[in-house]
Amino acid sequence: MMKNRLTYLALAALTLAAAACSSDDGTLAGDTLPHDGEKVTVPLAISFSGTWSTDDDNATRVAPPEQGDTNGDGIIDDNDLIGGKEELEEINTVRIVVFRRKDPQVTGQEATDFVYDPTNNLKTTCSWDDEKKNMKIANATLTKLYSYEYRVVAIAYNADEEGWFSLNNNDLEDVTFEEFEVEMKGTVDVGNFAEEVDDGECGIMFTPQFFFGYCHLEGNDDPIIKYGETAEETTLPLTGRLYRAVAKVEVNLTVKRDNTVLRSEIKQAVLLMDDIYTKSHLTDYDDFLTPFQQTGDGRNIVAFEEDIPAIGSTLVFTTYVLQTKTRLGAGIYYTGLGGLVGHNAYKWYESDDISYADEATGIISPDVDNNEFYFRRNHKYKITGTINNNYNNY
């Protein structure tokens, strides 16, 4: 039996802000109607907030959705929002994906689907701002063409994990906005567990820390961005927020000694989930409430540790996952006394039922029910327990 403790720490919101834009030559013809072919290049200043505030006057540090009152004082403040800056440390890449269609109000035609715009294929890096120590800054430019209207989506992740997911199988040509989706497909080396993977007894699903948001005009939540008919309308800045779209799961297992004759040495370990989702649409943040395409029942390796700590130390697994309900377990690769031939062993963990009460809606949702764990987007789950060096009893 594993003793578990879950804590809920929602992640920081990320904020996009766009600077003013101008035409290629830096001017517009006053308030006259633009002509076909005219365009403006819009600089995007994208900022990631590492800390939060509930102060409405500080829009760059807004608490994300589902953030709860973790200390029970009736107020959501920075004390409730733990781990913001350090958890953003690894996020270094922003991808901006743009869709466009002819503006029916300009052309007089019926509205059609928004289609991927290859002329605005944008990717940039970000770094901590020298002045605002809690902000990461990235810069890019977006080009708007007269007679078109746009949908602009932004995602953020660690560049080293770019191969862990694909956007429409990495082929966006002619993809419509409604078809836009992400598939989690990360695979990594899993050491001595590779044989089980090849035999089909285990799968591998490493999910990146993944953020999503969309741009809109400042002061207007409409996600459809128009070119604008006057200089003032055309140069209105864009803004938006990115939120973490996956759940963070941290499992801490204290390694204890078992003085039975079956004592062995743990060499490698994996964290397991039995059934997880791999796809989500990318049209709205709420898409991440209903991911799809499950991996199917089985053993899916979601984290891997090779440098096992000494007895008395703590083995820490950290992974991310699309919102899901799953069993949670561990696998170990062990050798017997004297370095005998190694073997793999697996165990699913058990936990008392635990529920989460959403005070805003009065809805009580399960976090653990009948040994199944419910992992929700933009929540952090910290689970503690023990593991010993008796492979039959851990």
Side-chain angles (χ1 to χ4, degrees):
M1 172 74 72
M2 171 185 173
K3 296 181 179 179
N4 297 291
R5 178 172 62 86
L6 283 76
T7 58
Y8 307 93
L9 306 175
L11 180 80
L14 305 173
T15 303
L16 295 128
C21 54
S22 63
S23 64
D24 287 350
D25 63 0
T27 63
L28 283 174
D31 290 334
T32 62
L33 188 68
H35 300 287
D36 285 345
E38 286 194 23
K39 60 183 179 181
V40 291
T41 300
V42 184
L44 297 177
I46 302 172
S47 59
F48 295 75
S49 177
T51 58
W52 313 265
S53 172
T54 56
D55 185 350
D56 292 338
D57 294 332
N58 191 347
T60 63
R61 301 193 300 157
V62 177
E66 301 183 357
Q67 172 55 39
D69 174 18
T70 59
N71 57 17
D73 64 0
I75 301 173
I76 299 175
D77 55 26
D78 287 349
N79 293 324
D80 299 301
L81 300 160
I82 303 170
K85 184 171 183 178
E86 56 267 32
E87 291 191 348
L88 293 183
E89 194 69 51
E90 66 185 45
I91 304 304
N92 54 25
T93 302
V94 177
R95 176 81 184 271
I96 301 169
V97 184
V98 181
F99 298 82
R100 71 179 183 181
R101 71 180 180 188
K102 283 289 189 177
D103 186 344
Q105 293 184 351
V106 174
T107 64
Q109 303 171 351
E110 292 186 4
T112 59
D113 292 332
F114 285 89
V115 179
Y116 171 67
D117 177 8
T119 68
N120 279 304
N121 186 11
L122 311 173
K123 184 189 294 185
T124 187
T125 60
C126 59
S127 59
W128 292 111
D129 185 90
D130 291 335
E131 295 181 0
K132 298 179 180 179
K133 302 297 184 181
N134 65 329
M135 304 290 288
K136 277 191 172 181
I137 304 297
N139 293 283
T141 58
L142 173 70
T143 299
K144 295 193 299 182
L145 188 64
Y146 178 67
S147 78
Y148 282 90
E149 54 186 8
Y150 297 84
R151 299 290 301 265
V152 181
V153 173
I155 61 175
Y157 51 90
N158 183 332
D160 292 339
E161 299 174 351
E162 192 166 54
W164 292 11
F165 69 92
S166 68
L167 303 177
N168 294 81
N169 204 27
N170 292 326
D171 184 8
L172 292 174
E173 184 178 359
D174 297 327
V175 169
T176 67
F177 181 70
E178 295 301 325
E179 296 170 335
F180 191 36
E181 65 184 27
V182 61
E183 180 176 7
M184 305 302 179
K185 54 197 314 179
T187 59
V188 296
D189 179 18
V190 289
N192 291 96
F193 295 90
E195 182 177 349
E196 274 79 357
V197 173
D198 293 338
D199 289 342
E201 296 182 10
C202 288
I204 306 177
M205 184 52 61
F206 278 55
T207 300
Q209 184 172 191
F210 192 82
F211 300 84
F212 171 88
Y214 69 91
C215 295
H216 53 86
L217 292 178
E218 190 173 60
N220 184 348
D221 290 334
D222 190 344
I224 297 178
I225 300 170
K226 295 182 177 293
Y227 182 90
E229 295 184 354
T230 67
E232 180 180 2
E233 291 176 352
T234 303
T235 57
L236 285 175
L238 305 178
T239 188
R241 294 193 183 99
L242 298 180
Y243 296 96
R244 185 164 66 181
V246 291
K248 181 176 183 178
V249 181
E250 180 181 309
V251 178
N252 295 261
L253 300 177
T254 301
V255 181
K256 292 188 175 182
R257 180 176 297 284
D258 188 311
N259 292 317
T260 69
V261 69
L262 297 175
R263 185 169 68 251
S264 57
E265 294 186 34
I266 301 173
K267 299 296 185 180
Q268 298 172 349
V270 293
L271 183 67
L272 303 172
M273 294 183 184
D274 72 334
D275 195 6
I276 52 182
Y277 289 94
T278 62
K279 284 188 175 184
S280 174
H281 293 298
L282 292 176
T283 63
D284 189 86
Y285 184 58
D286 281 350
D287 287 339
F288 292 94
L289 294 174
T290 55
F292 58 100
Q293 186 170 291
Q294 291 178 289
T295 57
D297 293 334
R299 293 196 296 249
N300 296 289
I301 299 172
V302 297
F304 173 65
E305 288 292 334
E306 193 163 20
D307 298 324
I308 304 303
I311 300 298
S313 300
T314 300
L315 174 61
V316 180
F317 292 108
T318 300
T319 189
Y320 298 90
V321 64
L322 288 172
Q323 181 161 304
T324 192
K325 177 182 71 173
T326 182
R327 289 189 299 170
L328 194 65
I332 62 169
Y333 173 75
Y334 65 91
T335 60
L337 292 175
L340 299 178
V341 177
H343 300 276
N344 292 341
Y346 303 93
K347 185 176 183 67
W348 296 109
Y349 287 116
E350 297 177 350
S351 172
D352 294 335
D353 291 348
I354 303 172
S355 295
Y356 161 73
D358 185 343
E359 295 182 3
T361 63
I363 296 174
I364 298 178
S365 302
D367 288 308
V368 184
D369 181 48
N370 196 27
N371 299 316
E372 290 187 309
F373 293 77
Y374 290 69
F375 297 133
R376 298 175 175 83
R377 64 167 191 183
N378 207 18
H379 278 65
K380 175 180 176 179
Y381 298 82
K382 187 174 182 180
I383 303 171
T384 61
T386 61
I387 186 171
N388 61 42
N389 62 330
N390 177 349
Y391 63 87
N392 282 329
N393 184 32
Y394 76 91

